[in-house]
Amino acid sequence: MKTQSRQIIIDDTTLRDGEQSAGVAFSLDEKLAIATQLSALGVPELEIGIPAMGAVEREEIRAIAALALPSKLLVWSRMRRDDLQACLGLGVHKVDLSISASDQHIQHKLKQSRQWVLDTINELVREAKQLGFDVCVGMEDASRADVDFLMQMAETAQQAGASRIRFADTVGIMEPFGVFETIKKLRAATDMEIEMHAHDDLGLATANTLAAALAGATHVNTTVNGLGERAGNAALEEVVVGLKQLYGFDTRINLARFPALSGLVANASGDAIGTRKSLIGKNVFSHEAGIHVDGLLKDMNNYQGVDPAIVGRSHQLVLGKHSGTQGVIHAYQQLGISVNRSQAQLLLLQVKQFVTATKRPPSASDLNHFHQNL
């Protein structure tokens, strides 16, 4: 791992793209709690809504802004004059003006031309600046766009006064090597901030986000638990830990209290966290296999790639079909019961029979019952 000298800014979009997940609708109280907890972790930027959605959405954006959190607040807008007007008077710092970048979208969604896109960027960014906004130009479907046209978009955005461009892998089709090369070209072509927005349709959102950072992106979008449209977005927890542990990038975010926020978002979204979900799943720091448990008991680093304490978790040693006698001895030690190796072998037989029949690990009560049967 090489320690990087620059900070990567996390722009978390749980309250915008996360809520765009099918079937998800946060209440105002849930939005306020999520924003507060994100900010308390040290997340520097929050994308908090879409003003053009209507009066209720705008009132909720104002309520979040009224919290006066230390995080910078952004809203998302189509690059349209009526959408931009809806962003006024909300107390936010920055607006992401999004417009199609790919010919697929330009021709078949907007029914327009590349020149129309460039003219619209020039016009609307200037208007947004005159209205007092800091502007990010969102390049929708950038992953399917011609890279030379992306550079034209970036040049036009910068000349009009934008401070940032957002590279959106809208349909989640990119892979890390391609992301690295594309962001590297954009980095060489502009001195604006570059933000990566990745979707997880191929399971590569976090990998693509890390590649973008390594190639020169200054900002990255995330969501708590990887919530988001279709397969979701790059997960906040994965990106923060990956940036630090793999590349030494500083995000200044402390995830020690992340489990509470993770649970809040899971409950508010109605989207249960898979037991094997990296870093936050119920079982990702659980160990059953005898060789692993024995190694962990000797030295945690034998089978620890990520310290669970980073995300407010701890290792759990679980008894099951693949356990060994050392795991049994340890489990009973935790209950204040001393067993020798031969006893552990007999208890292990009971454990294996139990988990095969019940499909769950034994509880403390179950273990006491097994011991009484010796």
Side-chain angles (χ1 to χ4, degrees):
M1 181 189 77
K2 180 180 178 182
T3 299
Q4 306 291 328
S5 58
R6 62 189 176 93
Q7 180 187 5
I8 300 295
I9 303 296
I10 301 290
D11 172 12
D12 188 86
T13 185
T14 301
L15 293 173
R16 196 276 296 179
D17 209 351
E19 199 191 27
Q20 282 181 220
S21 303
V24 175
F26 297 138
S27 69
L28 175 57
D29 285 345
E30 287 166 343
K31 286 186 175 184
L32 295 174
I34 291 168
T36 299
Q37 290 194 34
L38 280 166
S39 190
L41 296 181
V43 179
E45 294 190 3
L46 307 177
E47 189 172 47
I48 61 171
I50 306 172
M53 281 178 58
V56 173
E57 179 84 349
R58 291 192 290 273
E59 282 305 311
E60 291 180 344
I61 290 169
R62 288 191 189 95
I64 295 171
L67 294 172
L69 300 171
S71 304
K72 186 175 184 178
L73 303 180
L74 299 83
V75 289
W76 187 94
S77 169
R78 291 170 298 182
M79 197 168 288
R80 289 171 33 163
R81 186 168 287 106
D82 52 346
D83 275 27
L84 179 58
Q85 289 295 317
C87 298
L88 292 170
L90 304 181
V92 297
H93 307 88
K94 195 179 191 86
V95 59
D96 175 77
L97 292 176
S98 180
I99 193 165
S100 297
S102 69
D103 290 333
Q104 171 66 37
H105 274 208
I106 294 169
Q107 295 172 15
H108 300 288
K109 187 180 86 165
L110 300 180
K111 310 293 184 182
Q112 295 288 352
S113 66
R114 288 187 179 185
Q115 188 58 51
W116 180 89
V117 170
L118 297 177
D119 291 343
T120 303
I121 291 172
N122 181 59
E123 183 178 354
L124 268 294
V125 170
R126 292 182 188 277
E127 285 191 24
K129 291 292 292 181
Q130 290 172 357
L131 292 171
F133 289 111
D134 191 10
V135 180
C136 169
V137 170
M139 298 171 165
E140 186 182 11
D141 204 28
S143 51
R144 294 192 291 181
D146 175 61
V147 176
D148 289 336
F149 183 59
L150 293 179
M151 292 181 183
Q152 286 182 274
M153 291 178 70
E155 181 181 6
T156 302
Q158 186 164 15
Q159 289 177 349
S163 61
R164 185 186 306 174
I165 53 174
R166 173 181 289 177
F167 183 99
D169 183 13
T170 302
V171 292
I173 59 165
M174 292 206 78
E175 46 76 36
F177 302 101
V179 170
F180 183 88
E181 291 302 320
T182 302
I183 298 299
K184 189 176 180 181
K185 288 177 183 177
L186 285 172
R187 180 72 289 157
T190 181
D191 56 6
M192 277 193 295
E193 297 171 346
I194 299 175
E195 182 170 276
M196 181 66 192
H197 180 88
H199 278 270
D200 206 37
D201 297 73
L202 294 175
L204 293 170
T206 294
N208 288 337
T209 300
L210 299 182
L214 203 58
T218 56
H219 295 64
V220 295
N221 276 156
T222 64
T223 58
V224 175
N225 302 342
L227 191 66
E229 288 187 286
R230 303 183 314 278
N233 293 49
L236 170 65
E237 60 279 9
E238 294 174 4
V239 171
V240 170
V241 174
L243 285 171
K244 181 65 175 178
Q245 183 156 318
L246 299 177
Y247 304 115
F249 282 115
D250 181 23
T251 62
R252 300 179 188 174
I253 294 173
N254 185 341
L255 294 176
R257 290 181 289 171
F258 185 75
L261 173 58
S262 175
L264 170 62
V265 171
N267 289 332
S269 65
D271 194 8
I273 299 168
T275 60
R276 305 293 174 187
K277 167 67 177 70
S278 60
L279 300 175
I280 56 172
K282 176 184 176 183
N283 293 329
V284 295
F285 295 112
S286 296
H287 310 268
E288 176 188 312
I291 191 170
H292 282 212
V293 171
D294 181 65
L296 281 167
L297 291 173
K298 290 172 179 173
D299 185 331
M300 283 293 177
N301 288 321
N302 283 331
Y303 287 99
Q304 175 177 279
V306 176
D307 183 353
I310 292 173
V311 286
R313 305 285 303 280
S314 61
H315 287 290
Q316 301 295 323
L317 304 185
V318 178
L319 290 181
K321 180 179 179 180
H322 304 95
S323 296
T325 54
Q326 195 59 42
V328 173
I329 291 170
H330 175 76
Y332 278 95
Q333 283 178 342
Q334 300 301 106
L335 297 175
I337 300 172
S338 177
V339 299
N340 58 37
R341 188 163 297 277
S342 61
Q343 289 174 318
Q345 289 173 339
L346 294 172
L347 289 165
L348 184 55
L349 290 175
Q350 294 188 67
V351 167
K352 290 182 177 182
Q353 291 170 353
F354 178 86
V355 298
T356 300
T358 65
K359 310 302 181 186
R360 67 171 178 84
S363 65
S365 176
D366 295 323
L367 292 178
N368 278 315
H369 178 70
F370 299 159
H371 188 259
Q372 290 168 7
N373 289 340
L374 279 182

